[in-house]
Amino acid sequence: MSTPRWICKTCGWIYDESKGDLDSGLAPGTRFEDIPEDWSCPLCGVTKADFITLEEYAAQRGGSSAPKNRPPRAKGQVGGEDAVVIVGSGIAGWTVAERLRARDPERAITLICADDGCVYPKPALSMAIGQGRSADDLVEQSGTDKAAELGVTLQANTRVMGIKPADKRLMTAKGNVKYGQLVLALGASQRRRPFEGGAADDILRVNDLASYRKMRERLDSGAQHVTLIGAGLIGVEFAEDLHAGGHRVTLLDLGEQLLGRLAPPPLAARLLQALKPQGIDFRPGVSLAALERGGASDCAGYRATLTDGATLATDLVISAMGLVPNIELAKKAGLLVNRGIHADPADMRSSDPHIFVVGDCAEVDGRSYFYIEPIKRQAEAIAASICGESALFECKPTAIRVKTPSLALNLCPPDLSVADLGHWVQESENGTACRMSFLAHGKAVGYALSGAEAARASELYETICRQVAAN
Ligand SMILES: Cc1cc2nc3c(=O)[nH]c(=O)nc-3n(C[C@H](O)[C@H](O)[C@H](O)COP(=O)(O)OP(=O)(O)OC[C@H]3O[C@@H](n4cnc5c(N)ncnc54)[C@H](O)[C@@H]3O)c2cc1C
């Protein structure tokens, strides 16, 4: 008989009782009901309450466990003077719709998105190649089904071109839409840098299902060697996943180490040691200069010239140079923007009282989060506020589990405001296991853990949150 397995509804990570979660200190055989309530999904940070059994999950995908008290059917009208209109169908947009519907079964909700609105776990994009999963395999629910389940009017494949806050109106590619309250869940885009060469436009940026599909098509049509630009979180995850999928990988970064400012050099060095035996060729201090079609070898489609003058025959180039919040719509509408769209932590409201901001496009107290756990709490704050209740969004430190199977890594980097005011201290070391703390003003405000030490992340995270809150 197979052991019980539980799945995170948010990111698709599976808790298998027979394996436990060693990185979080849960020994193999730990029953799900015995897991402490403060445990969180190691991948995306949501709570135990966001897990269901795989059987329940399968039944839901088959539509047999639809909610007993179904919300009212969406009236089909797009927007309206009293409607809540959400723009964006990523985890942020759909979570606001869910939380709002849970509080108010009657409210008219419209969701507009430039894509098809389907529900998929974005963190899985950098684990799916090795698992051989296609873009379709990653889809958990179609936008139409999700909208029907929540009683939401979905206007998919529709780009919003402008916002007129004074008239509470959106201009879309399919006409104008009125709103009572607007929620911007616009996400972020991969940073772009101009590269020289006739094939520079062929460089892929993988940040959604459509771009993952394109990457899969290129890999499946014979691409052997992949060049990744950027050795940050997404770059190293893709490097190991592409290797697991049978591809050769060259990883470029202008910095001197993997994971940039997220990890202290000793941990970055351990990760490099773990990646090297897989043949992943990391080139520090180097980026792409130019890309031309036609490689030196038979199979290569491109010739890449690097900033150190070296050339490389490669079949596919993927850029992972970091994320930039999508702020253009808000900026044109006159909302307060900085790096992201400004949101008040009291209720995630923008500088306009009728417009809220959530997810990768938001900036709260000078910080943009590109992780799922804060999105869930931001969505809760917005739903509460729209329903006339209050729910403060608490800005917490970021806890990251790097999805590199060759080495467990849990990181809680210091906030940028203190990053230059402290230093990393090594607290223990034994082979691949290493524990480091970031000290600022004599207090630990960040950690970096590798190997067996990664299991201490939950315990240390609580301490760091307390220290940061007390400062
Ligand atoms: C490869 C990868 C791995 C990751 N791994 C992790 C992880 O392990 N753990 C973790 O916590 N996080 C991880 N993340 C980050 C996490 O997935 C994101 O923070 C989160 O999914 C962002 O959700 P979002 O809804 O804010 O944005 P998005 O998912 O980008 O959604 C934005 C939506 O806005 C729509 N949109 C944008 N502009 C317009 C417009 N003008 N008109 C209409 N619609 C528009 C888009 O069509 C889309 O529907 C990862 C991200 C990537 C790319």
Side-chain angles (χ1 to χ4, degrees), residues 10-11 42-46 86-95 111-118 120-127 155 157-162 171-172 184-190 206-208 233-235 237-238 323 326 329 358-362 369-375 378 398-403:
T10 300
C11 71
L43 195 54
C44 70
V46 299
I86 300 166
V87 186
S89 67
I91 289 167
W94 280 124
T95 308
L111 192 145
I112 304 177
C113 52
D115 48 34
D116 66 3
C118 72
Y120 71 99
K122 193 183 265 200
L125 295 181
S126 50
M127 306 188 289
Q155 174 107 325
N157 304 309
T158 307
R159 185 159 284 281
V160 173
M161 325 286 272
M171 282 86 78
T172 83
L184 298 178
L186 301 166
S189 302
Q190 294 276 0
V206 183
N207 188 35
D208 56 23
L233 195 60
I234 291 180
E237 290 185 355
F238 271 127
L323 293 170
N326 291 330
L329 261 187
V358 61
D360 283 8
C361 65
Y369 299 85
F370 300 114
Y371 301 101
I372 287 167
E373 188 278 337
I375 292 179
Q378 292 175 352
T398 304
I400 304 165
R401 173 163 167 168
V402 187
K403 301 190 291 284

Coordinates of all heavy atoms in Angstrom, one line a residue, residues 10-11 42-46 86-95 111-118 120-127 155 157-162 171-172 184-190 206-208 233-235 237-238 323 326 329 358-362 369-375 378 398-403, ligand 1:
T10 N -0.9 25.5 -3.6 CA -0.3 26.7 -4.2 C 0.8 26.4 -5.3 O 0.8 26.9 -6.4 CB 0.2 27.6 -3.1 OG1 -0.9 27.9 -2.3 CG2 0.8 28.8 -3.7
C11 N 1.7 25.5 -4.9 CA 2.9 25.3 -5.8 C 3.0 23.9 -6.3 O 3.9 23.6 -7.1 CB 4.2 25.8 -5.1 SG 4.7 24.7 -3.8
P42 N 7.9 23.9 2.1 CA 9.3 24.3 1.9 C 9.6 25.0 0.6 O 10.6 25.6 0.4 CB 10.0 22.9 2.0 CG 9.0 21.9 1.8 CD 7.7 22.5 2.2
L43 N 8.6 24.9 -0.3 CA 8.8 25.5 -1.6 C 8.3 26.9 -1.7 O 9.0 27.8 -2.1 CB 8.2 24.6 -2.7 CG 8.6 24.9 -4.1 CD1 10.1 24.8 -4.2 CD2 7.9 23.8 -5.0
C44 N 7.1 27.1 -1.2 CA 6.5 28.4 -1.4 C 6.1 29.1 -0.1 O 5.6 30.2 -0.2 CB 5.3 28.3 -2.4 SG 3.9 27.5 -1.6
G45 N 6.2 28.4 1.0 CA 6.0 29.1 2.3 C 4.6 29.2 2.8 O 4.4 29.8 3.8
V46 N 3.6 28.6 2.1 CA 2.2 28.7 2.6 C 2.1 27.7 3.7 O 2.9 26.9 4.0 CB 1.1 28.5 1.5 CG1 1.3 29.5 0.4 CG2 1.3 27.1 0.9
I86 N -10.2 42.5 -11.3 CA -8.8 42.1 -11.0 C -8.1 42.0 -12.4 O -8.7 41.4 -13.3 CB -8.8 40.7 -10.3 CG1 -9.6 40.8 -9.0 CG2 -7.4 40.2 -10.1 CD1 -9.9 39.4 -8.4
V87 N -6.9 42.6 -12.5 CA -6.2 42.5 -13.7 C -5.0 41.5 -13.5 O -4.1 41.9 -12.7 CB -5.7 43.8 -14.3 CG1 -5.0 43.6 -15.7 CG2 -6.8 44.8 -14.4
G88 N -5.0 40.4 -14.1 CA -3.9 39.4 -13.9 C -4.4 38.1 -13.4 O -5.2 38.1 -12.5
S89 N -4.0 37.0 -14.0 CA -4.5 35.7 -13.6 C -3.3 34.8 -13.1 O -3.4 33.6 -13.2 CB -5.1 35.0 -14.8 OG -4.1 34.7 -15.8
G90 N -2.3 35.4 -12.6 CA -1.3 34.6 -11.9 C -1.8 34.2 -10.5 O -2.9 34.3 -10.2
I91 N -0.8 33.7 -9.7 CA -1.2 33.3 -8.4 C -1.8 34.4 -7.6 O -2.8 34.3 -6.9 CB 0.1 32.7 -7.7 CG1 0.4 31.4 -8.3 CG2 -0.2 32.6 -6.2 CD1 1.8 30.8 -8.0
A92 N -1.3 35.7 -7.9 CA -1.8 36.8 -7.1 C -3.3 37.1 -7.5 O -4.1 37.3 -6.6 CB -0.9 38.0 -7.4
G93 N -3.5 37.2 -8.8 CA -4.9 37.6 -9.2 C -5.9 36.5 -8.8 O -7.0 36.9 -8.2
W94 N -5.6 35.2 -9.0 CA -6.6 34.2 -8.6 C -6.8 34.1 -7.1 O -7.8 33.8 -6.6 CB -6.2 32.8 -9.2 CG -6.6 32.7 -10.6 CD1 -5.8 32.3 -11.7 CD2 -7.9 32.8 -11.2 NE1 -6.5 32.2 -12.8 CE2 -7.8 32.5 -12.6 CE3 -9.2 33.1 -10.7 CZ2 -8.9 32.5 -13.5 CZ3 -10.3 33.1 -11.6 CH2 -10.1 32.8 -12.9
T95 N -5.7 34.4 -6.3 CA -5.8 34.3 -4.9 C -6.7 35.4 -4.4 O -7.5 35.2 -3.4 CB -4.4 34.3 -4.2 OG1 -3.6 33.3 -4.8 CG2 -4.5 34.0 -2.7
L111 N -12.3 39.1 -13.7 CA -10.9 39.0 -13.9 C -10.5 39.1 -15.3 O -11.0 38.4 -16.2 CB -10.4 37.6 -13.3 CG -8.9 37.5 -13.1 CD1 -8.6 36.7 -11.9 CD2 -8.3 36.9 -14.3
I112 N -9.6 40.1 -15.6 CA -9.1 40.3 -17.0 C -7.7 39.9 -17.1 O -6.9 40.3 -16.2 CB -9.3 41.8 -17.3 CG1 -10.8 42.2 -17.2 CG2 -8.8 42.1 -18.8 CD1 -11.0 43.7 -17.4
C113 N -7.3 39.2 -18.1 CA -5.8 38.9 -18.2 C -5.4 38.8 -19.7 O -6.2 38.5 -20.6 CB -5.5 37.6 -17.5 SG -6.6 36.2 -18.0
A114 N -4.1 39.1 -19.9 CA -3.6 39.0 -21.3 C -3.4 37.6 -21.8 O -3.4 37.4 -23.0 CB -2.3 39.8 -21.3
D115 N -3.3 36.6 -20.8 CA -3.1 35.2 -21.2 C -4.5 34.5 -21.2 O -5.5 35.1 -21.1 CB -2.1 34.6 -20.3 CG -2.3 34.8 -18.8 OD1 -3.5 34.9 -18.5 OD2 -1.4 35.0 -18.0
D116 N -4.4 33.1 -21.1 CA -5.7 32.4 -21.2 C -6.3 32.2 -19.8 O -7.4 31.6 -19.7 CB -5.5 31.1 -22.0 CG -4.6 30.1 -21.2 OD1 -4.1 30.4 -20.1 OD2 -4.3 29.0 -21.8
G117 N -5.6 32.6 -18.8 CA -6.2 32.5 -17.4 C -6.0 31.2 -16.7 O -6.5 31.0 -15.6
C118 N -5.3 30.3 -17.3 CA -5.2 28.9 -16.7 C -4.4 29.0 -15.4 O -3.6 29.9 -15.2 CB -4.6 27.9 -17.6 SG -2.9 28.1 -17.9
Y120 N -1.7 27.5 -12.9 CA -0.5 26.6 -12.9 C 0.4 27.1 -11.8 O 0.4 28.2 -11.4 CB 0.2 26.6 -14.2 CG 0.9 27.9 -14.6 CD1 2.3 28.0 -14.4 CD2 0.2 29.0 -15.0 CE1 2.9 29.2 -14.6 CE2 0.9 30.2 -15.3 CZ 2.2 30.3 -15.1 OH 2.9 31.4 -15.3
P121 N 1.2 26.1 -11.2 CA 2.2 26.5 -10.2 C 3.5 27.1 -10.8 O 4.3 26.3 -11.3 CB 2.4 25.2 -9.4 CG 2.2 24.2 -10.4 CD 1.2 24.7 -11.5
K122 N 3.6 28.4 -10.8 CA 4.8 28.9 -11.5 C 6.1 28.4 -11.0 O 7.1 28.2 -11.7 CB 4.8 30.5 -11.4 CG 5.8 31.1 -12.4 CD 5.8 32.6 -12.2 CE 4.9 33.2 -13.3 NZ 5.3 34.7 -13.5
P123 N 6.3 28.2 -9.6 CA 7.6 27.7 -9.2 C 8.0 26.3 -9.8 O 9.2 26.0 -9.9 CB 7.4 27.5 -7.7 CG 6.4 28.5 -7.3 CD 5.4 28.5 -8.5
A124 N 7.0 25.6 -10.3 CA 7.3 24.3 -11.0 C 8.0 24.5 -12.3 O 8.6 23.5 -12.8 CB 6.0 23.5 -11.2
L125 N 8.0 25.7 -12.9 CA 8.7 25.9 -14.2 C 10.2 25.6 -14.1 O 10.7 25.1 -15.1 CB 8.6 27.4 -14.6 CG 7.2 27.9 -15.0 CD1 7.2 29.4 -15.4 CD2 6.5 27.1 -16.0
S126 N 10.8 25.7 -13.0 CA 12.3 25.4 -12.9 C 12.5 24.0 -12.3 O 13.6 23.8 -11.8 CB 13.0 26.5 -12.1 OG 12.4 26.8 -10.9
M127 N 11.5 23.2 -12.3 CA 11.7 21.8 -11.9 C 11.1 20.8 -12.9 O 11.3 19.6 -12.8 CB 10.9 21.5 -10.6 CG 11.1 22.4 -9.4 SD 10.3 21.8 -7.9 CE 8.6 22.1 -8.3
Q155 N -12.5 37.6 -18.4 CA -12.2 38.1 -19.8 C -10.7 37.8 -20.1 O -9.8 38.6 -19.7 CB -12.5 39.6 -19.7 CG -12.1 40.3 -21.0 CD -13.4 40.7 -21.8 OE1 -14.4 40.1 -21.8 NE2 -13.3 41.9 -22.4
N157 N -7.3 36.6 -22.5 CA -6.7 37.0 -23.8 C -7.0 38.5 -24.1 O -7.3 38.9 -25.3 CB -7.2 36.1 -25.0 CG -6.8 34.7 -24.7 OD1 -5.7 34.4 -24.3 ND2 -7.8 33.8 -24.8
T158 N -7.0 39.3 -23.1 CA -7.4 40.7 -23.2 C -6.4 41.6 -22.5 O -6.3 41.5 -21.3 CB -8.8 41.0 -22.6 OG1 -9.7 40.0 -23.1 CG2 -9.3 42.4 -22.8
R159 N -5.7 42.3 -23.2 CA -4.6 43.2 -22.6 C -5.3 44.5 -22.1 O -6.1 45.1 -22.9 CB -3.5 43.5 -23.6 CG -2.4 44.3 -23.0 CD -1.1 44.1 -23.8 NE -0.5 42.8 -23.6 CZ 0.3 42.5 -22.5 NH1 0.5 43.4 -21.6 NH2 0.8 41.3 -22.4
V160 N -5.0 44.9 -20.9 CA -5.4 46.3 -20.5 C -4.4 47.3 -21.0 O -3.2 47.1 -20.7 CB -5.5 46.3 -18.9 CG1 -5.8 47.7 -18.4 CG2 -6.6 45.3 -18.5
M161 N -4.9 48.3 -21.7 CA -4.0 49.3 -22.3 C -3.9 50.5 -21.4 O -2.9 51.3 -21.6 CB -4.5 49.7 -23.7 CG -5.2 48.6 -24.4 SD -4.0 47.4 -25.0 CE -3.6 48.1 -26.6
G162 N -4.9 50.8 -20.6 CA -4.8 52.1 -19.8 C -5.8 52.1 -18.7 O -6.7 51.3 -18.7
M171 N -9.2 50.8 -20.1 CA -9.2 50.7 -21.6 C -8.6 49.4 -21.9 O -7.4 49.2 -21.6 CB -8.5 51.8 -22.2 CG -9.3 53.1 -22.3 SD -9.0 54.1 -20.8 CE -7.5 54.7 -21.1
T172 N -9.3 48.5 -22.5 CA -8.8 47.2 -22.9 C -8.8 47.0 -24.4 O -9.5 47.8 -25.1 CB -9.5 46.0 -22.3 OG1 -10.6 45.7 -23.1 CG2 -10.0 46.3 -20.9
L184 N -4.7 45.4 -9.1 CA -3.6 45.2 -10.1 C -2.7 44.1 -9.7 O -2.1 44.1 -8.6 CB -2.8 46.5 -10.3 CG -3.5 47.7 -10.8 CD1 -2.6 48.9 -10.9 CD2 -4.2 47.4 -12.2
A185 N -2.8 43.0 -10.4 CA -1.9 41.8 -10.2 C -1.1 41.5 -11.4 O -1.3 40.4 -12.0 CB -2.9 40.6 -9.8
L186 N -0.3 42.4 -11.8 CA 0.3 42.4 -13.2 C 1.6 41.7 -13.3 O 2.2 41.5 -14.4 CB 0.6 43.9 -13.6 CG -0.7 44.8 -13.6 CD1 -0.2 46.3 -13.7 CD2 -1.6 44.4 -14.8
G187 N 2.1 41.2 -12.1 CA 3.4 40.4 -12.2 C 4.6 41.2 -12.5 O 4.6 42.4 -12.4
A188 N 5.7 40.5 -12.9 CA 6.9 41.1 -13.2 C 7.5 40.5 -14.5 O 7.0 39.5 -14.9 CB 7.9 40.9 -12.1
S189 N 8.4 41.2 -15.1 CA 9.0 40.6 -16.3 C 10.5 40.4 -16.1 O 11.1 41.1 -15.3 CB 8.9 41.6 -17.5 OG 7.5 41.9 -17.7
Q190 N 11.1 39.5 -16.9 CA 12.5 39.3 -16.8 C 13.2 40.5 -17.3 O 12.8 41.1 -18.3 CB 12.9 38.1 -17.7 CG 12.4 36.7 -17.3 CD 13.3 36.1 -16.2 OE1 14.3 36.7 -15.8 NE2 12.9 34.9 -15.8
V206 N 12.1 32.9 -19.5 CA 11.1 31.9 -19.1 C 10.4 32.4 -17.8 O 11.0 32.2 -16.7 CB 11.6 30.5 -19.0 CG1 10.5 29.5 -18.6 CG2 12.3 30.1 -20.3
N207 N 9.3 33.0 -17.9 CA 8.6 33.5 -16.7 C 7.1 33.3 -16.7 O 6.4 33.8 -15.9 CB 8.9 35.1 -16.6 CG 8.4 35.6 -15.3 OD1 8.5 35.0 -14.2 ND2 7.9 36.8 -15.3
D208 N 6.7 32.5 -17.6 CA 5.2 32.1 -17.6 C 5.1 30.8 -18.4 O 6.1 30.3 -19.0 CB 4.3 33.2 -18.1 CG 4.7 33.7 -19.5 OD1 5.4 32.9 -20.2 OD2 4.4 34.8 -19.9
L233 N 18.9 33.0 -8.5 CA 18.0 31.9 -8.1 C 17.5 31.1 -9.3 O 17.6 29.8 -9.4 CB 16.9 32.5 -7.3 CG 16.1 31.5 -6.4 CD1 17.0 30.8 -5.4 CD2 15.0 32.3 -5.7
I234 N 16.9 31.8 -10.2 CA 16.2 31.1 -11.3 C 17.2 30.5 -12.3 O 17.1 29.4 -12.8 CB 15.2 32.1 -12.1 CG1 14.1 32.4 -11.1 CG2 14.7 31.5 -13.4 CD1 13.0 33.3 -11.6
G235 N 18.4 31.2 -12.5 CA 19.4 30.7 -13.3 C 20.0 29.4 -12.8 O 20.1 28.4 -13.6
E237 N 18.6 27.3 -10.7 CA 17.6 26.2 -10.7 C 17.4 25.6 -12.1 O 17.3 24.4 -12.3 CB 16.2 26.8 -10.2 CG 16.3 27.0 -8.7 CD 15.0 27.5 -8.1 OE1 14.0 27.7 -8.8 OE2 14.9 27.6 -6.8
F238 N 17.3 26.5 -13.1 CA 17.2 26.1 -14.5 C 18.4 25.2 -14.9 O 18.3 24.2 -15.6 CB 17.0 27.2 -15.5 CG 15.6 27.6 -15.7 CD1 15.1 28.9 -15.5 CD2 14.6 26.6 -16.0 CE1 13.8 29.2 -15.7 CE2 13.3 26.9 -16.2 CZ 12.9 28.2 -16.1
L323 N 14.2 40.0 -12.0 CA 12.8 40.4 -12.4 C 12.6 41.9 -12.1 O 13.2 42.5 -11.2 CB 11.8 39.6 -11.5 CG 11.7 38.1 -11.8 CD1 10.9 37.4 -10.8 CD2 11.1 37.9 -13.2
N326 N 6.1 44.9 -13.2 CA 5.4 45.6 -14.4 C 4.7 46.8 -13.8 O 3.6 46.7 -13.2 CB 4.4 44.6 -15.0 CG 5.1 43.5 -15.7 OD1 6.2 43.6 -16.2 ND2 4.4 42.3 -15.7
L329 N 1.6 50.4 -16.7 CA 0.2 50.8 -16.7 C -0.1 51.8 -15.5 O -0.7 52.8 -15.7 CB -0.7 49.6 -16.4 CG -1.3 48.9 -17.5 CD1 -2.3 47.8 -17.0 CD2 -2.1 49.8 -18.4
V358 N -1.1 43.8 -5.8 CA -0.7 42.5 -5.2 C 0.3 41.8 -6.0 O 0.3 41.9 -7.2 CB -2.0 41.7 -5.0 CG1 -2.7 41.3 -6.3 CG2 -1.7 40.4 -4.2
G359 N 1.2 41.0 -5.4 CA 2.1 40.1 -6.1 C 3.4 40.8 -6.6 O 3.8 41.8 -6.0
D360 N 3.9 40.2 -7.6 CA 5.3 40.6 -8.1 C 5.3 42.1 -8.5 O 6.4 42.7 -8.6 CB 5.7 39.8 -9.3 CG 6.2 38.4 -8.8 OD1 6.0 38.1 -7.6 OD2 6.7 37.6 -9.7
C361 N 4.1 42.7 -8.9 CA 4.2 44.1 -9.4 C 4.2 45.1 -8.2 O 4.4 46.3 -8.4 CB 3.0 44.4 -10.3 SG 1.4 44.3 -9.5
A362 N 4.0 44.6 -7.0 CA 3.8 45.6 -5.8 C 5.1 45.9 -5.2 O 6.0 45.1 -5.2 CB 2.8 44.9 -4.8
Y369 N 8.5 41.7 -3.4 CA 8.7 40.3 -3.1 C 8.4 39.5 -4.3 O 7.4 39.7 -5.0 CB 7.7 39.8 -2.0 CG 7.8 40.5 -0.7 CD1 7.1 41.6 -0.5 CD2 8.5 39.9 0.4 CE1 7.1 42.3 0.8 CE2 8.6 40.6 1.6 CZ 7.9 41.7 1.8 OH 7.9 42.3 3.0
F370 N 9.3 38.6 -4.7 CA 9.0 37.8 -5.9 C 8.8 36.3 -5.4 O 9.3 35.4 -6.0 CB 10.1 37.9 -6.9 CG 10.4 39.3 -7.4 CD1 11.5 40.0 -7.1 CD2 9.4 40.0 -8.1 CE1 11.7 41.3 -7.5 CE2 9.5 41.3 -8.5 CZ 10.7 41.9 -8.2
Y371 N 8.0 36.2 -4.4 CA 7.7 34.9 -3.7 C 6.2 34.7 -3.4 O 5.5 35.7 -3.3 CB 8.5 34.7 -2.5 CG 10.0 34.8 -2.8 CD1 10.7 36.0 -2.5 CD2 10.7 33.8 -3.4 CE1 12.0 36.1 -2.8 CE2 12.0 33.9 -3.7 CZ 12.7 35.1 -3.4 OH 14.0 35.2 -3.8
I372 N 5.8 33.5 -3.3 CA 4.4 33.2 -3.1 C 3.8 33.5 -1.7 O 2.7 34.0 -1.6 CB 4.1 31.7 -3.5 CG1 4.2 31.7 -5.1 CG2 2.7 31.3 -3.1 CD1 4.3 30.4 -5.6
E373 N 4.6 33.2 -0.7 CA 4.1 33.3 0.6 C 3.5 34.7 0.9 O 2.4 34.9 1.4 CB 5.1 32.9 1.7 CG 4.7 32.8 3.1 CD 4.7 34.1 3.8 OE1 5.4 35.0 3.4 OE2 3.9 34.3 4.8
P374 N 4.3 35.8 0.6 CA 3.7 37.1 0.8 C 2.5 37.4 0.0 O 1.6 38.2 0.4 CB 4.8 38.1 0.4 CG 6.0 37.3 0.2 CD 5.7 35.8 0.0
I375 N 2.4 36.8 -1.2 CA 1.2 37.1 -2.1 C 0.0 36.6 -1.4 O -1.1 37.3 -1.4 CB 1.4 36.3 -3.4 CG1 2.5 36.9 -4.2 CG2 0.1 36.4 -4.2 CD1 2.7 36.2 -5.6
Q378 N -0.9 39.2 1.2 CA -1.4 40.4 0.6 C -2.8 40.3 0.1 O -3.6 41.2 0.2 CB -0.4 40.8 -0.6 CG 1.0 41.2 -0.2 CD 1.9 41.4 -1.4 OE1 1.5 41.1 -2.6 NE2 3.1 41.9 -1.2
T398 N 12.4 37.4 3.9 CA 12.1 36.4 2.8 C 12.8 35.1 3.1 O 14.1 35.1 3.3 CB 12.5 37.0 1.5 OG1 11.9 38.2 1.2 CG2 12.2 36.0 0.4
A399 N 12.1 34.0 3.2 CA 12.7 32.7 3.3 C 12.7 32.0 2.0 O 11.7 31.9 1.4 CB 12.0 31.9 4.4
I400 N 13.9 31.5 1.5 CA 14.0 30.9 0.2 C 14.5 29.5 0.3 O 15.5 29.3 1.0 CB 15.0 31.7 -0.7 CG1 14.5 33.2 -0.8 CG2 15.1 31.1 -2.1 CD1 15.6 34.1 -1.3
R401 N 13.9 28.6 -0.3 CA 14.4 27.2 -0.5 C 14.9 27.1 -1.9 O 14.0 27.2 -2.8 CB 13.4 26.2 -0.1 CG 13.9 24.8 -0.4 CD 13.0 23.8 0.3 NE 13.2 22.4 -0.1 CZ 12.7 21.4 0.6 NH1 12.1 21.6 1.7 NH2 12.9 20.2 0.2
V402 N 16.2 26.9 -2.2 CA 16.7 26.9 -3.5 C 16.4 25.5 -4.1 O 16.7 24.5 -3.4 CB 18.2 27.2 -3.6 CG1 18.6 27.3 -5.0 CG2 18.5 28.5 -2.9
K403 N 15.8 25.4 -5.3 CA 15.4 24.1 -5.8 C 16.5 23.4 -6.6 O 16.5 23.2 -7.8 CB 14.1 24.2 -6.7 CG 13.0 24.8 -5.9 CD 11.7 24.8 -6.6 CE 11.6 25.6 -7.8 NZ 11.3 27.1 -7.6
Ligands
LIG1 C1 11.1 29.8 -12.7 C2 10.5 30.4 -11.5 C3 10.6 29.7 -10.2 C4 10.1 30.2 -9.1 N1 10.2 29.5 -7.9 C5 9.6 30.0 -6.8 C6 9.7 29.2 -5.5 O1 10.3 28.2 -5.5 N2 9.0 29.7 -4.5 C7 8.3 30.9 -4.5 O2 7.7 31.3 -3.5 N3 8.3 31.7 -5.7 C8 8.9 31.2 -6.8 N4 8.8 31.9 -7.9 C9 8.1 33.3 -7.9 C10 6.6 33.1 -7.9 O3 6.3 32.1 -8.9 C11 6.0 34.5 -8.3 O4 6.3 35.4 -7.2 C12 4.5 34.5 -8.5 O5 4.1 33.4 -9.3 C13 4.0 35.8 -9.1 O6 2.7 35.8 -9.3 P1 1.9 37.1 -9.8 O7 0.5 36.7 -9.9 O8 2.3 38.3 -9.0 O9 2.5 37.3 -11.3 P2 2.3 36.5 -12.7 O10 2.2 35.1 -12.5 O11 3.5 37.0 -13.5 O12 1.0 37.0 -13.3 C14 0.8 38.3 -13.9 C15 -0.5 38.3 -14.7 O13 -0.8 39.6 -15.1 C16 -1.2 39.6 -16.5 N5 -1.0 40.9 -17.1 C17 0.2 41.6 -17.0 N6 0.0 42.8 -17.7 C18 -1.3 42.8 -18.2 C19 -2.0 43.7 -18.9 N7 -1.5 44.9 -19.3 N8 -3.3 43.4 -19.2 C20 -3.9 42.2 -18.8 N9 -3.2 41.3 -18.1 C21 -1.9 41.6 -17.8 C22 -0.4 38.4 -17.1 O14 -1.1 38.0 -18.3 C23 -0.5 37.4 -15.9 O15 -1.8 36.8 -16.0 C24 9.4 31.5 -9.1 C25 9.2 32.2 -10.3 C26 9.8 31.6 -11.5 C27 9.6 32.4 -12.8

